[in-house]
Amino acid sequence: MRNATKEALVVARRPDSGGVEGPVISLLANHFLVKFDPSLKVYHYNVEISPNPSKEVARMIKQKLVESNSGLLCGAHPAYDGRKNFYSPVEFQNGKLEFFVSLPIPTANTGSPFGEWNGFQQKQNQLKVFRINIRAVSKFDGKDLSSYLSNESDDWIPLPQDYLHALDVVLRESPMEKCICVGRSFYSSSTGGTKEIGGGAIGWRGFFQSLRPTQQGLALNVDSSITAFHESIGVIPYLQKRIDFLRDLTQRKTRSLSDDERKEVEKALRNIRVFVCHRETVQRYRVYGLTEEATENLYFADRDGKNLKLIDYFKDHYNYNIQFRNLPCLQISRSKPCYLPMELCMICEGQKFLGKLSDDQTARILKMGCQRPKERKAMIDGIVRGPAGPTSGNQAEEFKLHVSKEMSRLNGRILQPPKLKLGDGGHVRDITPSRRDRQWNLLNSHVFQGTRIERWALISFGGTQEQKSNLPKFINQLSRRCEQLGIFLSKSTVVSPQFEPTQVLNNVTLLESKLKKIHRAASNNLQLLICIMEKKHKGYADLKRIAETSVGFVSQCCLYPNLGKLSSQFLANLALKINAKVGGSTVALYNSLPSQIPRLFRLDEPVIFIGADVTHPHPLDDSSPSVAAVVGSMNWPAANKYVSRMRSQTHRQEIIQDLAAMVEELLDDFYQEVNKLPKRIIFFRDGVSETQFYKVLKEELQAVKEACARFPGYKPPITFAVVQKRHHTRLFPFEINPSSNQNQHFDENIPPGTVVDTVITHPREFDFYLCSHWGVKGTSRPTHYHVLWDENRFTSDELQKLVYNLCYTFARCTKPVSLVPPAYYAHLAAYRGRLYLERSESVAFTRSSNIISRVTPPKTTPLPKPSENVKKLMFYC
């Protein structure tokens, strides 16, 4: 066992020099080559600043320190990561240095929000003194990095992270000084504008940058990005935009808040920084909570211990009449009473919106970030050459770095689409998707495996009388569309359609009793429940959980507004989802995988494809469990039906805790279906960042091996690949027009099947970018596949062909999808698991106004298990 673990630490090497299949396409990638001097020594210093400053203040301190102490720093302009690290191209005079820097910042004793006791001190612009201790840590050069990138030696050597990190900090220095930094991205009002997205949020354009080791050398990946910030407006207008029940607040100034309302307002404002507008000050305050009492009932003690009424104080000192007297005040101290009336506070600019965006906000921000390739390329080129971009300062020159201002040119290849097999009952029984977008239609065709749905029911929530009267027409047309596709859906339901008011979705107990009643009326043998809702409703989560775990049938929901037109396309999409959920399949590969990859696959040696994903709660949720899902294919060679396993696990835990047990269950299910254990395991893991590769490989590969070891003498070869959609590499078509000898960039996306495994990929490891879908909107994002472990010994061509072919077998649509289906289904199953945890009646966990730091994560709520007759179906798709 020890050897297996030791082996698992070496990530798979690229098996060849890249694939060769498919015609070549000329491309540009948003990677900008970085040339560095390997002999240049970089000196790393640890920086301690006390008292501990904010990031903004730390930058000011660094700037003043460098300006005032050029001699001691030997004229260097060190790069600073904003926390504890200096990197310098020259050595400082001493290995230990101490400095004192004073800045005009309001100190703690001048920070009273009211400003009455120390107004005279503030006018004197009091200086705050910081002590800075600098200590030499190490020095290194770039020879190891140069050797790693050149891929000269066959020996496995680790990536020299320290030097790479130092150069990354150097290239971030200039943007860091001019922009607001969020993760690896930078935002400022000069980087492309802002746009209101509603609900007190505003979309800011910015850019992402990251230094990457690639086959062509060191490259800077630069991309345009967008994120939501809190709008910098008064707290009162902010609340009017953010919270529905406060929309009319300015018309109802005497309004007070109920306990539940106060909690919701507190949740919306907690941790936001504000400044006051009733007096001049640079001080900023963080909102820790709201006062229990309304503003008019608040008193505070002055220096002499005399109790002052808050509203009288503002009238006497500032001649200001508090308007919203029945609202609470903002509490801006963690430990002592410190109050600010909401109406006198403004929200500081440049604070990332951490709450969960609504559907409308998400739609607006996506639209804002949706540029066609030509426009996106122009934006990225503008960023690289721009005044706040990575090449805008002098820092790169100091460290002898040269960043190209041209995108990387490279060749990709276009993989050919597979021939597809459809149902035997249709006029057209096979098809090769030949359209440019690689979509196909099911005109005159049947699905590969149609189901018979004889026992089904329908329930309606809300809807107008007219909408409800159209349901018989809907049932008839859906049944006819199913018939055209080779799916049998009985024209009559087993019980007459049930009509309920929308409010039933708010009451879990009532909803459960209604669903159980329908199930009983169908003799406890219901194949499908179609649910029609007048609008999206949070009770959807309860409905899915009750149907799948408590009662035991699959359901298909749709909205009344979508039943208005009843287009053939809408009905077909609905039919495909229903067919997949009740056990059918849409399409299979005409030339089975064994005939396409004969070196590795055989008809009598079944293979399982496993997908795994973990979904985490949104950023402000500090207690809900994460949800892990693992799916596995259950048929061979079609490999188009997947069974799922879902588990809740520790809050924000990325490693799948119960993976061994989940994989064992899937292998057991596979054995029951195919009568053999799989000869090979191909495992696709979604949602892992590069920093976690090593940990995931070490722990999760071991878990898969443990699952296999539970079957005597069973040791199948395993391939473990990470699938990444959340990266910033973009590919653009590029051609040279021979007549004008001008570079032309066509404003369309790269075609489906475009694969890249040279120039911008890893210098040593087995990875590739595959764009398997047609980008209808915006700029296509290719999926990045990175093989961490490969006992099956795939060639580049074999694995790329396998993944691309699988992308045509997704059950819900008649086009290739952007993500290999095992990973896609795992993502859908994890989302379903998350829904099981969302109880419409449960009150979301909210912290008390005293913020308690958690010592241990909260106990994980286990997920309810899908019932026996549901769990072998693709109910999650």
Side-chain angles (χ1 to χ4, degrees):
M1 198 62 93
R2 186 184 294 170
N3 287 352
T5 312
K6 195 173 179 186
E7 255 190 316
L9 304 184
V10 181
V11 170
R13 294 286 297 264
R14 194 179 302 281
D16 43 41
S17 55
V20 294
E21 283 190 18
V24 169
I25 178 173
S26 296
L27 301 168
L28 291 172
N30 58 341
H31 285 219
F32 298 84
L33 191 62
V34 178
K35 291 194 172 144
F36 64 98
D37 178 354
S39 62
L40 178 84
K41 281 193 167 55
V42 171
Y43 298 87
H44 176 202
Y45 293 90
N46 178 267
V47 183
E48 295 281 349
I49 305 176
S50 62
N52 199 17
S54 67
K55 282 182 188 171
E56 296 90 339
V57 173
R59 291 238 146 250
M60 290 158 67
I61 293 168
K62 181 255 175 179
Q63 226 162 348
K64 189 163 182 190
L65 175 86
V66 172
E67 283 166 12
S68 314
N69 299 281
S70 184
L72 285 170
L73 302 180
C74 300
H77 288 84
Y80 177 43
D81 69 352
R83 292 184 292 274
K84 294 201 167 195
N85 298 292
F86 266 9
Y87 296 98
S88 169
V90 295
E91 197 168 7
F92 298 163
Q93 262 188 21
N94 292 312
K96 275 189 176 180
L97 294 167
E98 184 173 70
F99 301 96
F100 290 91
V101 168
S102 50
L103 290 173
I105 290 165
T107 53
N109 68 323
T110 65
S112 160
F114 309 138
E116 80 292 4
W117 306 306
N118 40 29
F120 67 92
Q121 286 178 316
Q122 286 207 335
K123 287 182 187 117
Q124 290 173 9
N125 212 8
Q126 183 155 339
L127 295 175
K128 184 169 182 177
V129 178
F130 295 90
R131 184 173 74 178
I132 300 101
N133 285 98
I134 296 176
R135 176 177 55 82
V137 176
S138 61
K139 60 180 176 182
F140 34 74
D141 59 33
K143 286 172 186 164
D144 284 349
L145 181 59
S146 183
S147 160
Y148 182 91
L149 292 167
S150 66
N151 204 0
E152 286 158 359
S153 72
D154 280 341
D155 299 333
W156 183 83
I157 56 167
L159 174 66
Q161 289 284 5
D162 46 8
Y163 197 76
L164 191 66
H165 179 68
L167 298 189
D168 191 49
V169 171
V170 170
L171 290 173
R172 291 169 71 79
E173 180 82 2
S174 182
M176 199 85 104
E177 285 175 356
K178 299 165 186 168
C179 306
I180 291 161
C181 176
V182 177
R184 300 203 67 79
S185 297
F186 298 99
Y187 299 89
S188 84
S189 43
S190 68
T191 54
T194 61
K195 190 175 183 181
E196 256 191 74
I197 59 168
I202 189 162
W204 279 34
R205 283 192 198 283
F207 66 94
F208 165 94
Q209 73 171 57
S210 171
L211 206 51
R212 304 183 62 78
T214 67
Q215 286 188 46
Q216 67 173 334
L218 208 53
L220 192 67
N221 177 204
V222 180
D223 190 21
S224 67
S225 66
I226 286 175
T227 199
F229 285 80
H230 294 286
E231 203 176 342
S232 182
I233 50 177
V235 168
I236 296 288
Y238 174 81
L239 289 175
Q240 286 182 273
K241 288 184 174 191
R242 175 99 191 251
I243 294 174
D244 281 339
F245 59 76
L246 295 179
R247 290 254 185 272
D248 59 351
L249 189 55
T250 44
Q251 280 83 54
R252 298 176 56 202
K253 291 186 176 176
T254 55
R255 192 193 196 291
S256 57
L257 299 180
S258 69
D259 276 355
D260 283 348
E261 286 174 340
R262 196 182 71 81
K263 278 178 186 164
E264 194 167 334
V265 172
E266 186 170 65
K267 193 176 167 188
L269 293 176
R270 185 182 282 121
N271 285 328
I272 289 179
R273 292 194 308 279
V274 297
F275 63 93
V276 292
C277 49
H278 64 282
R279 60 188 179 84
E280 277 188 39
T281 174
V282 292
Q283 181 77 319
R284 301 288 181 260
Y285 307 99
R286 185 181 295 279
V287 178
Y288 283 100
L290 300 183
T291 56
E292 298 278 346
E293 294 284 341
T295 303
E296 68 174 359
N297 300 329
L298 285 172
Y299 290 80
F300 65 93
D302 68 5
R303 279 269 169 87
D304 306 321
K306 185 180 163 195
N307 250 8
L308 299 176
K309 192 168 186 178
L310 192 107
I311 52 176
D312 292 345
Y313 166 79
F314 275 92
K315 176 69 179 157
D316 296 344
H317 279 73
Y318 298 104
N319 195 24
Y320 182 82
N321 280 314
I322 303 277
Q323 308 285 306
F324 297 89
R325 298 180 170 215
N326 293 327
L327 291 182
C329 274
L330 304 181
Q331 165 65 17
I332 50 134
S333 166
R334 195 192 292 262
S335 49
K336 54 181 190 280
C338 226
Y339 316 131
L340 283 178
M342 287 185 191
E343 65 203 79
L344 295 177
C345 295
M346 298 279 293
I347 287 169
C348 300
E349 192 178 68
Q351 299 180 79
K352 183 168 164 35
F353 191 95
L354 289 175
K356 196 174 181 183
L357 293 176
S358 69
D359 289 350
D360 284 348
Q361 287 174 319
T362 304
R364 287 188 193 115
I365 211 157
L366 286 175
K367 191 176 178 185
M368 195 179 165
C370 193
Q371 286 84 32
R372 294 299 292 166
K374 192 174 182 179
E375 189 185 347
R376 193 177 193 99
K377 181 185 179 297
M379 286 172 80
I380 295 167
D381 286 337
I383 289 160
V384 170
R385 298 181 171 96
T391 60
S392 57
N394 305 320
Q395 210 75 37
E397 284 171 33
E398 290 233 353
F399 287 81
K400 297 187 181 174
L401 291 177
H402 175 262
V403 183
S404 168
K405 290 186 168 62
E406 301 297 325
M407 286 192 179
S408 298
R409 284 181 58 179
L410 62 145
N411 286 334
R413 292 169 291 110
I414 304 170
L415 303 182
Q416 296 310 295
K419 189 175 180 182
L420 303 174
K421 194 173 183 180
L422 301 166
D424 290 338
H427 182 64
V428 176
R429 295 177 188 184
D430 58 72
I431 190 167
T432 302
S434 54
R435 278 171 41 167
R436 274 171 67 242
D437 61 6
R438 298 296 184 234
Q439 288 200 33
W440 67 96
N441 65 45
L442 290 170
L443 203 65
N444 303 320
S445 305
H446 283 184
V447 292
F448 178 65
Q449 188 188 352
T451 47
R452 286 190 68 80
I453 305 161
E454 287 161 344
R455 305 182 63 77
W456 70 282
L458 185 143
I459 189 168
S460 154
F461 297 99
T464 64
Q465 209 49 50
E466 188 190 350
Q467 285 174 328
K468 288 189 269 195
S469 67
N470 283 330
L471 280 183
K473 180 185 164 195
F474 163 67
I475 292 171
N476 185 41
Q477 287 189 269
L478 180 62
S479 178
R480 276 174 52 202
R481 192 72 186 95
C482 281
E483 193 181 347
Q484 290 163 7
L485 293 169
I487 303 160
F488 176 80
L489 178 72
S490 171
K491 282 191 163 58
S492 55
T493 53
V494 288
V495 288
S496 57
Q498 306 291 298
F499 295 95
E500 302 291 347
T502 297
Q503 288 86 313
V504 170
L505 289 167
N506 292 324
N507 185 327
V508 180
T509 316
L510 186 57
L511 178 62
E512 184 158 358
S513 73
K514 299 278 183 192
L515 297 184
K516 281 183 172 169
K517 189 177 170 188
I518 291 173
H519 197 227
R520 277 197 306 274
S523 310
N524 292 334
N525 180 17
L526 192 68
Q527 288 173 280
L528 170 74
L529 177 69
I530 292 183
C531 312
I532 323 279
M533 300 177 181
E534 67 178 4
K535 60 182 178 188
K536 286 186 178 179
H537 193 286
K538 61 185 179 179
Y540 169 84
D542 289 308
L543 189 143
K544 290 291 181 187
R545 177 176 45 78
I546 293 163
E548 290 159 6
T549 67
S550 173
V551 189
F553 53 75
V554 296
S555 57
Q556 178 60 54
C557 295
C558 41
L559 301 174
Y560 269 119
N562 295 337
L563 302 192
K565 297 190 183 78
L566 284 185
S567 69
S568 173
Q569 184 67 60
F570 171 75
L571 291 167
N573 289 346
L574 206 57
L576 293 185
K577 283 188 77 173
I578 288 169
N579 186 53
K581 283 179 182 180
V582 294
S585 61
T586 305
V587 71
L589 298 170
Y590 187 86
N591 299 309
S592 68
L593 292 172
S595 66
Q596 294 200 58
I597 307 171
R599 192 180 69 84
L600 289 178
F601 296 156
R602 290 179 50 175
L603 268 174
D604 60 347
E605 293 182 347
V607 174
I608 189 170
F609 299 105
I610 296 179
D613 193 12
V614 178
T615 166
H616 302 293
H618 68 84
L620 281 186
D621 184 332
D622 69 350
S623 66
S624 296
S626 292
V627 175
V630 184
V631 303
S633 59
M634 290 291 131
N635 55 346
W636 177 256
N640 57 8
K641 289 184 183 179
Y642 287 79
V643 157
S644 67
R645 289 294 181 274
M646 302 171 296
R647 301 277 200 279
S648 57
Q649 60 182 43
T650 308
H651 176 73
R652 300 206 188 285
Q653 161 90 30
E654 185 50 62
I655 302 294
I656 300 175
Q657 282 169 344
D658 215 5
L659 184 61
M662 292 159 93
V663 171
E664 183 190 5
E665 287 176 30
L666 290 175
L667 291 173
D668 207 36
D669 284 357
F670 188 93
Y671 185 80
Q672 287 174 36
E673 293 293 325
V674 185
N675 292 322
K676 283 181 181 176
L677 282 169
K679 177 78 175 170
R680 302 174 190 277
I681 294 176
I682 320 291
F683 191 103
F684 294 100
R685 176 66 156 90
D686 196 3
V688 179
S689 64
E690 285 172 350
T691 53
Q692 297 260 300
F693 278 8
Y694 183 83
K695 193 170 194 282
V696 164
L697 177 63
K698 186 177 159 192
E699 298 189 28
E700 295 190 359
L701 176 68
Q702 197 54 41
V704 176
K705 288 185 172 181
E706 273 174 35
C708 295
R710 292 173 192 177
F711 299 87
Y714 181 53
K715 280 188 176 177
I718 298 165
T719 296
F720 191 110
V722 166
V723 184
Q724 292 174 304
K725 279 286 282 180
R726 291 191 171 188
H727 61 79
H728 285 270
T729 294
R730 296 289 184 278
L731 300 169
F732 304 93
F734 174 77
E735 281 188 30
I736 295 173
N737 185 337
S739 58
S740 63
N741 206 22
Q742 292 248 316
N743 291 353
Q744 279 192 337
H745 175 269
F746 294 97
D747 195 19
E748 68 173 38
N749 275 307
I750 52 176
T754 301
V755 66
V756 168
D757 56 10
T758 59
V759 183
I760 59 168
T761 46
H762 197 280
R764 293 161 172 261
E765 294 169 10
F766 187 6
D767 70 326
F768 58 91
Y769 292 93
L770 171 64
C771 182
S772 46
H773 69 296
W774 175 253
V776 183
K777 287 182 177 177
T779 305
S780 292
R781 189 200 306 247
T783 300
H784 187 219
Y785 295 89
H786 200 127
V787 181
L788 301 187
W789 189 255
D790 186 25
E791 292 170 341
N792 288 294
R793 309 260 171 126
F794 279 98
T795 64
S796 293
D797 279 326
E798 285 169 342
L799 188 59
Q800 290 161 10
K801 179 192 267 190
L802 168 67
V803 169
Y804 187 48
N805 279 355
L806 286 175
C807 288
Y808 281 81
T809 65
F810 189 64
R812 298 203 308 195
C813 56
T814 54
K815 59 185 178 185
V817 287
S818 63
L819 190 66
V820 69
Y824 203 141
Y825 291 136
H827 178 74
L828 294 175
Y831 175 70
R832 174 67 100 242
R834 162 89 37 234
L835 276 188
Y836 286 175
L837 291 171
E838 286 176 14
R839 306 290 166 92
S840 65
E841 289 186 323
S842 69
V843 180
F845 175 82
T846 51
R847 292 170 287 184
S848 62
S849 48
N850 300 328
I851 295 180
I852 304 153
S853 59
R854 293 192 177 283
V855 181
T856 54
K859 199 164 172 15
T860 302
T861 314
L863 286 187
K865 284 191 163 61
S867 66
E868 282 303 313
N869 48 337
V870 167
K871 75 177 191 184
K872 292 198 173 178
L873 298 170
M874 292 174 68
F875 60 90
Y876 50 83
C877 82

